[in-house]
Amino acid sequence: MYLALLVIFLQCSEVYAQGKVFTFNRVEIRVQPSVKVKNGAPMSISCHADISKNTDFQLKHNFTIFKDGKLVFMTVSDKEDAWYEIPAAKSSDTGDYECTVKADGKLGFSNSIYVWVAGMTKPILTADKKEVVEGEVVKLRCELPEEVPPLEFVFRKIKTNSAPKEKRVPEQNQNFSEVEYYVEEGDNILQFDCFGKRQVRSGWESSQHSNRTLVTVKEPFIKPTLITKPSNNVTEGDQIEFECSTVVAQIRDIEIIFQKNRTILNSVRDKKFLRYSTVATQEDSGEYLCKVEQGTVSKTSKLNVFVSELFPRPTLSASMTKLDESKDLILSCSINGVRRANFSILRKSPSGDVLLKNSRVLPIKVSVNDTGFYTCKAEVKGIVKESKSVRINVYAPVSKPTLSVVSGSPEVVLGKPLQLICHSVMGTPPITFTFYKGDEIKKNVTNDTYATFLDEDIGLNDNGGYKCDARNNHSSGVKTSNILNVTVIVPIRDASLGSIPYGEVEVGSDTAFLCSVKEGSWPIDFKFFKKTDHEVLLHEVREYSDRTIWHKKTMKRRDTGTYYCMASNRASVDVRSRPITISVILAVWQKGVIAAFVLTAMAGAGAVALWWFLRKKKKAKGPSMEMSGSPLAPNLTSEKLTRQPSDGNYYSGSGYIEDNENHMKSTDESKGPDLESAEVDYTEVEVSTLDPHRDSMENRNSQRIYGHPDAT
């Protein structure tokens, strides 16, 4: 039974749960009376939830209204509408509004709607003072109590008969702003006001102007009075007096300054007047200024003064401004229209003017040291005026110039630039130097004592013809240097090396090496080298020719190798030839000697072989043949040994080898062509087959000659 009741309860719960079904169709936000509301008018914003349900049941709705993404209103209701009431709209209520509705876990969103509250509240302006003194500061405060930042405040200073002066102050975090105004001279009665601005979607919106605040300004002293005595139109030499005065409420810390242009002429402190007097000169014409200062307040008065000329500026004249030394110069000073004055003639100097004479006229016999600036002064009634300076140039004649090469040596390498210097020891500068190449003017230079010329166009035929002129303002005229001859050095080009004989050279013979160049100035230094592990200098010579021959005597086997030559001249460029290879070989007679050695050795070997063959054959015939020949052997051997020293046509093998070695050694060491005339002796060897004992002795003797260690 309990089980049946439980099943019935669960089924009823499921049916009830399936009966509460709803969905959001849309969520709407509306503004009353419209999206544009006047500042101060009431405004209401409603949020409506359009919901569909399967049955009629109650829902709790959570309404939330946002402005510019910030929460401004929230309520819970079982109705489908909620209202956000604003009794008096302000400009800060302008913005984008949207709402959300949440019910039983479901959430609905409205679209966004822009609301503009047109107009701003009137700002309030206050001043910290109602009465100020010139030079003081007024602090103003402008406030928009019902507005929300960011805001911009505009302050205005209003003077009668002038445009207002504005100050703009942006405020990001507060709805008020403060500024200070400096009270200037002439600010008698001031009025101030302000207004606010804020930025809306359509641009900037401004508030009404605030109330005007009145500020009264008091003067600490009046504008100064500036006068001149006897008047502001005087003549040079007259006494002129300036007087500046003011009326001041408090004399402490007051200062009066008197100046012309930017120059302060006089000043006083804690006084109400100032006096300044001087003897008038024409330079005193102009604008004068009297300034009174106290604290930060400053007032000025201006006055123009005109001083008439008593006499014109004097004029210094010279009989000549450019003249030779030892000539006469006359300086005279004069004033147009005035004959009676005190004159003096002076020479200008960095350390001060030098008085030459208190006179109107000054005659001088000049020297070079008299070159300089001269002036004169004239005095009338205590007024002194100075003339313009006159430049006097006194010239000494130039000496004969010298022309030389800057490097020192009067020669130049072809293709290289040539720098010349022209110098005059004497002569008053400036001196004009003229360079000539042949009769052609190459350069004009004005300098003090010397000038240089760079000739970059050096040709093969430019071997002379340079000269220079020197002249200044002396009447003696031009001086010319001696002609400078310059040698053009042609660099070495294309060195080559040859030899006679070429390639192969016999031992003991001479070799001639020929080194030559295609072009180059003489003398030429020739050097001959042999290449080994390092360069070996064999021979060097200086020739006034484009070639040289070096004879190398008695070539040896160790002279085989690679040779080259090098040529240079004063152009300081070493030119190297291509290398050649020399092979030193045996002479013909040496080859013959070696051939003789070989033939002799072969003949000896043949004789031994024949003897061995014959002896073996005799042994085969029997002992009777050996016995019949035995008595002859000692006699033949004895005869042979006794005859050997006295036989002039016979040489032992050992003696031949020694002679041949000595001959080769002497040839190797000799320094002449004697090898070609050397004679070779030959030795004949006879082999007898009649006496075996003698044959045996001769074969042994022959084997000792060709087997000698010297024979190798």
Side-chain angles (χ1 to χ4, degrees), residues 352-363:
D353 295 345
V354 179
L355 176 64
L356 301 179
K357 190 176 183 181
N358 286 319
S359 175
R360 182 174 173 275
V361 180
L362 175 64

Side-chain angles (χ1 to χ4, degrees), residues 483-514:
I483 294 177
L484 175 65
N485 293 317
V486 177
T487 302
V488 179
I489 305 299
V490 180
I492 300 297
R493 185 168 69 89
D494 295 343
S496 60
L497 177 65
S499 67
I500 302 175
Y502 184 80
E504 292 185 346
V505 181
E506 292 185 351
V507 172
S509 64
D510 296 345
T511 300
F513 291 92
L514 171 64

Side-chain angles (χ1 to χ4, degrees), residues 41-54:
M43 180 179 70
S44 64
I45 300 173
S46 66
C47 183
H48 171 69
D50 184 3
I51 300 175
S52 294
K53 304 175 183 177
N54 63 343

Side-chain angles (χ1 to χ4, degrees), residues 118-191:
M120 298 175 65
T121 57
K122 186 176 180 178
I124 301 171
L125 178 66
T126 58
D128 67 337
K129 298 175 183 177
K130 294 296 182 182
E131 187 177 272
V132 294
V133 179
E134 286 180 343
E136 291 185 345
V137 173
V138 177
K139 181 182 288 186
L140 303 175
R141 174 187 172 99
C142 186
E143 184 177 4
L144 289 165
E146 297 183 4
E147 303 297 337
V148 176
L151 298 167
E152 182 177 286
F153 292 88
V154 181
F155 294 84
R156 299 198 309 162
K157 176 184 176 182
I158 304 168
K159 290 176 62 175
T160 306
N161 300 325
S162 63
K165 293 183 178 179
E166 292 185 350
K167 287 186 179 180
R168 296 176 179 268
V169 183
E171 295 290 352
Q172 300 294 327
N173 303 311
Q174 58 191 20
N175 60 357
F176 68 91
S177 182
E178 295 179 344
V179 297
E180 292 182 347
Y181 271 95
Y182 173 74
V183 181
E184 302 170 329
E185 178 188 357
D187 291 346
N188 298 324
I189 298 176
L190 296 177
Q191 294 186 75

Side-chain angles (χ1 to χ4, degrees), residues 39 90 233 258 299 362 559 585 636 680:
N39 194 299
K90 297 177 291 187
N233 287 320
F258 181 66
K299 298 184 180 183
L362 175 64
D559 293 326
I585 61 176
L636 288 173
V680 181

Side-chain angles (χ1 to χ4, degrees), residues 285-323:
S285 294
E287 184 180 73
Y288 290 82
L289 183 142
C290 177
K291 181 183 292 185
V292 180
E293 295 179 345
Q294 188 178 45
T296 59
V297 183
S298 176
K299 298 184 180 183
T300 60
S301 294
K302 297 179 181 179
L303 178 67
N304 283 309
V305 173
F306 178 74
V307 180
S308 302
E309 187 179 61
L310 178 63
F311 64 94
R313 189 177 183 180
T315 302
L316 179 65
S317 58
S319 57
M320 288 182 290
T321 57
K322 295 181 180 180
L323 65 164

Side-chain angles (χ1 to χ4, degrees), residues 697-710:
M697 179 67 73
E698 287 181 343
N699 281 323
R700 284 196 301 270
N701 187 37
S702 175
Q703 190 175 17
R704 182 186 64 82
I705 291 172
Y706 293 104
H708 194 278
D710 292 339

